[in-house]
Amino acid sequence: VLSSASATSDEEAAAKAAAVNADTGAPTIFDKIISKEIPANIVYEDEAVLAFRDISPKAPVHVLVIPKSRDGLTELGKAEKRHEEILGRLLYAANIVAEKEGITEGFRVVINSGPSACQSVYHLHLHVLGGRQMKWPPG
């Protein structure tokens, strides 16, 4: 059994390692899910957005929402004016996911941006979390 301290340390190490290749344009695991090379439990999909269950959930409902086109949007900290529409689409899709999952009474949307926030996949993604009481502060 991992202690929470070593699990946190592992998460931080993984985030730092992932950041090295953040802007290389190399396909991410999410690109492989979009292209159906890797299977995923899809919750919602439209022409611009894909939402699927996280394989390592941190809450009873834990769904990732991603843009189908990365378009340089590897992390929120790299957002540009041209990304305004997709950023809005991602938040709206998070709401659709919450409705589909029956958690509209309370859910959290988290975006990790950069290695200090433990971002581990450099393809912007939103975590939609719910199905239990969320705590504050989040961490």
Side-chain angles (χ1 to χ4, degrees):
V1 169
L2 285 176
S3 72
S4 64
S6 68
T8 300
S9 173
D10 291 348
E11 200 172 312
E12 290 168 3
K16 286 179 182 155
V20 173
N21 296 315
D23 294 312
T24 64
T28 67
I29 189 168
F30 294 165
D31 291 310
K32 293 174 181 178
I33 289 171
I34 291 164
S35 69
K36 311 292 191 227
E37 290 177 55
I38 295 175
N41 187 339
I42 296 171
V43 173
Y44 173 76
E45 182 173 10
D46 65 25
E47 64 281 351
V49 173
L50 182 66
F52 52 92
R53 297 192 192 290
D54 193 300
I55 60 168
S56 182
K58 306 301 183 218
V61 173
H62 188 169
V63 175
L64 302 178
V65 181
I66 65 172
K68 286 185 173 179
S69 172
R70 201 172 355 155
D71 187 29
L73 199 50
T74 54
E75 59 184 284
L76 188 57
K78 302 271 173 124
E80 298 176 13
K81 179 102 175 122
R82 66 190 168 97
H83 296 123
E84 282 181 330
E85 182 181 342
I86 192 61
L87 291 170
R89 295 277 299 262
L90 290 165
L91 283 173
Y92 183 65
N95 184 53
I96 292 170
V97 166
E99 289 175 357
K100 287 179 164 287
E101 296 296 305
I103 58 169
T104 55
E105 76 286 349
F107 63 97
R108 182 168 287 160
V109 176
V110 175
I111 301 172
N112 300 318
S113 186
S116 294
C118 284
Q119 182 176 357
S120 58
V121 178
Y122 281 83
H123 183 136
L124 180 74
H125 56 287
L126 285 63
H127 297 258
V128 178
L129 301 153
R132 66 168 166 79
Q133 177 63 54
M134 296 288 128
K135 305 294 182 191
W136 196 261

